[in-house]
């Protein structure tokens, strides 16, 4: 003990400091998720508050120069405030990078010697292709092309210096005005097209595991039942460099069209996908009833919604009880049935090829039901 005390004192610490340091490491708080980890999920809606920049104030000043007694007013105008502009960037895939509050830059104030204030630079908000801008339900813009932009909040005008009020009747104006405040708005951003294909199914049917098997996305999976709360998007790449986006939609429950279990929010995610992949748990006693219930929920939300280009993915084929249900499922449904195992990766190649066929042949979004 004496030797340990000497070592501690030689290292510049007392016994109390060493014990406190040890207790601190013993009771370490749980690690909090970083903002980067929290923003990994796909975000297709965002409410944003905007405050454009205010204009700079005008200045009241008079010219002063030797041997020039009546120099006159020389106060300059203030600069205009910065606008807030939404611009489409094809590299952006989600609205997760969009903040909830934006404030534009203010214009500079005017100066003496007729110096005008500098106009503020605009503030740009990058959004993905297919973003719809709304305000109180009214569509302000539908951004569907690369580099397309729209000004959503205008900056305030700069104030006038006393030079602007010079008249024949008033040769020495003292008046100068302040800059105007920028426009304030609250808008809603919504992605019209979330992904090319959607994995639709009830909770715990293996949608997240299937997305991990066919793409490089890494949604959370575990050996116990739980459901995803936020959609995840994975990219399926082909040899000709074609990329197909597949969305893992949180699981639906019976009554989803009545907003049970956040059903309306999840159905809204599916609405912005062009191809539907119905994922069924083949280990359940009657998996074809899952398909009927899913089609019912989609059609109740929107007529003929379930008739979009679709296929049935028979998942969990690695379980013994699933093989007996496969023939019965094919006898009861007329859709294309693709048996796969998300756990082992079995037959996922056929699913990827069939997904490409649907991707090449689906109609445009405007003609989809």
């Amino acid at each position: 003990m004496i030797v340990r005390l000497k070592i501690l004192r030689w290292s510049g610490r007392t016994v109390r400091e060493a014990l406190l340091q040890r207790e601190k490491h013993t009771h370490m708080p749980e690690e909090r998720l970083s903002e980067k980890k929290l923003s990994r999920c796909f975000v297709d809606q965002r409410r944003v508050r905007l405050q454009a920049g205010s204009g700079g104030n005008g200045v009241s000043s008079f010219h002063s120069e030797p041997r020039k007694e009546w120099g006159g007013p020389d106060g300059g105008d203030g600069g205009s405030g910065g606008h807030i502009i939404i611009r489409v960037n094809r590299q952006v895939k989600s609205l997760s990078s969009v903040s909830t509050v934006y404030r534009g830059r203010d214009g500079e104030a005017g100066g003496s010697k007729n110096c005008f204030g500098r106009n503020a630079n605009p503030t740009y908000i990058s959004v993905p292709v297919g973003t719809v801008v709304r305000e109180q339900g009214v569509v302000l813009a539908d951004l569907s092309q690369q580099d397309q932009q729209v000004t959503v909040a205008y900056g305030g005008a700069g104030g006038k210096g006393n030079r602007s009020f010079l008249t024949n009747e008033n040769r020495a104006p003292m008046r100068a005005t302040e800059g105007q405040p920028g426009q304030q708005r609250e808008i809603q951003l919504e992605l019209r097209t979330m992904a090319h294909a959607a994995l639709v199914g009830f909770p715990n049917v293996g949608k997240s595991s299937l997305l991990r098997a066919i793409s490089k996305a890494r949604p959370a999976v575990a050996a116990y039942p739980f459901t995803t709360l936020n959609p995840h998007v994975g990219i399926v790449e082909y040899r000709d460099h074609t990329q197909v986006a597949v969305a893992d939609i949180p699981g639906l429950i019976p009554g989803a069209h009545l907003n049970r279990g956040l059903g309306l929010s999840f159905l809204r995610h599916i609405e912005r996908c062009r191809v539907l992949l119905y994922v069924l748990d083949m280990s359940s006693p009657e998996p074809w009833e899952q398909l009927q219930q899913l089609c019912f929920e989609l059609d109740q939300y929107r007529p003929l919604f379930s008739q979009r280009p679709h296929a049935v993915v028979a998942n969990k084929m690695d379980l013994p009880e699933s093989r007996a249900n496969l023939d019965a499922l094919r006898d009861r449904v007329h859709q294309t049935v693709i048996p796969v195992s998300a756990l082992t990766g079995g037959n996922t190649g056929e699913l990827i090829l069939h997904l490409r066929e649907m991707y090449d042949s689906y109609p445009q979004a405007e003609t989809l039901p």
Side-chain angles (χ1 to χ4, degrees):
M1 185 67 180
I2 299 177
V3 176
R4 180 172 178 81
L5 288 177
K6 288 183 179 180
I7 295 176
L8 290 175
R9 292 184 184 279
W10 289 341
S11 62
R13 297 186 303 173
T14 62
V15 177
R16 179 179 176 84
E17 292 175 349
L19 293 177
L20 290 177
Q21 187 73 12
R22 181 180 179 181
E23 183 179 358
K24 180 179 179 181
H25 286 286
T26 304
H27 301 87
M28 287 290 290
E30 295 183 359
E31 181 181 0
R32 299 182 61 183
L33 291 177
S34 64
E35 187 67 25
K36 181 178 180 180
K37 294 181 180 180
L38 291 175
S39 61
R40 282 180 179 175
C41 58
F42 189 90
V43 178
D44 62 348
Q45 283 186 335
R46 183 77 84 188
R47 185 181 298 271
V48 183
R49 292 184 179 182
L50 307 175
Q51 171 65 65
S54 301
N57 298 330
V59 172
S60 177
S61 65
F62 291 88
H63 183 71
S64 176
E65 186 179 347
R67 296 180 297 276
K68 194 171 184 180
E69 185 176 358
W70 309 104
D74 65 351
D77 300 343
S80 300
H83 307 318
I84 299 180
I85 301 174
I86 295 179
R87 181 169 58 187
V88 176
N89 185 357
R90 195 177 299 274
Q91 301 299 325
V92 179
K93 302 299 183 182
S94 168
L95 296 177
S96 59
S97 60
V98 178
S99 302
T100 56
V101 178
Y102 282 92
R103 178 174 176 81
R105 302 178 180 88
D106 296 334
E108 293 185 359
S112 58
K113 299 182 181 179
N114 296 317
C115 292
F116 283 42
R118 178 181 298 176
N119 296 332
N121 295 326
T123 300
Y124 290 96
I125 304 175
S126 297
V127 296
V129 178
T131 301
V132 179
V133 184
R134 304 177 187 269
E135 183 180 25
Q136 298 180 355
V138 180
V139 177
L140 302 179
D142 190 349
L143 307 176
S144 58
Q145 297 179 1
Q146 171 69 4
D147 294 329
Q148 185 179 357
Q149 60 185 29
V150 58
T151 303
V152 291
Y154 290 91
K160 298 294 184 181
N162 63 339
R163 173 72 180 182
S164 301
F165 299 99
L166 177 64
T167 61
N168 292 331
E169 291 77 15
N170 187 3
R171 306 302 299 173
M174 303 290 295
R175 179 186 175 187
T177 60
E178 297 180 351
Q180 299 295 322
Q183 186 179 12
Q184 295 185 12
R185 304 182 81 169
E186 183 171 337
I187 61 175
Q188 295 83 35
L189 301 179
E190 181 178 331
L191 270 182
R192 183 186 59 196
T193 302
M194 175 180 172
H196 299 113
L199 299 177
V200 184
F202 289 108
N204 304 313
V205 297
K207 298 185 299 297
S208 299
S209 300
L210 183 60
L211 183 64
R212 294 170 66 101
I214 64 176
S215 70
K216 295 182 179 180
R218 290 295 177 265
V221 296
Y224 51 87
F226 77 100
T227 185
T228 304
L229 297 180
N230 296 298
H232 292 77
V233 175
I235 303 298
V236 181
E237 299 184 0
Y238 295 88
R239 292 183 178 179
D240 59 351
H241 305 291
T242 300
Q243 294 183 343
V244 178
V246 180
D248 171 21
I249 305 297
L252 302 177
I253 63 174
H257 67 281
L258 301 176
N259 203 26
R260 293 178 181 174
L262 299 178
L264 291 181
S265 177
F266 299 158
L267 289 169
R268 194 179 299 113
H269 295 321
I270 304 174
E271 188 178 13
R272 289 190 286 277
C273 299
R274 304 181 181 182
V275 175
L276 305 181
L277 297 176
Y278 297 109
V279 183
L280 306 182
D281 182 3
M282 296 303 294
S283 62
S284 61
E286 297 180 344
W288 47 88
E289 292 186 354
Q290 299 181 20
L291 178 61
Q292 297 176 359
Q293 184 66 37
L294 290 173
C295 295
F296 174 78
E297 295 295 338
L298 295 182
D299 291 337
Q300 290 296 314
Y301 174 73
R302 182 176 177 180
L304 302 178
F305 191 7
S306 63
Q307 301 303 316
R308 290 188 179 183
H310 60 275
V312 178
V313 181
N315 194 21
K316 300 187 180 181
M317 292 303 300
D318 54 290
L319 301 178
E321 57 270 22
S322 301
R323 302 170 186 173
N325 292 330
L326 180 60
D327 294 335
L329 175 65
R330 285 175 170 168
D331 294 339
R332 287 175 170 82
V333 302
H334 62 277
Q335 295 94 335
T336 303
V337 179
I338 305 175
V340 299
S341 173
L343 179 62
T344 63
N347 205 34
T348 55
E350 180 182 351
L351 173 61
I352 294 175
L353 293 177
H354 188 74
L355 176 63
R356 177 61 186 271
E357 293 178 2
M358 292 191 295
Y359 171 79
D360 293 336
S361 60
Y362 68 73
Q364 296 297 323
E366 290 77 8
T367 61
L368 288 173

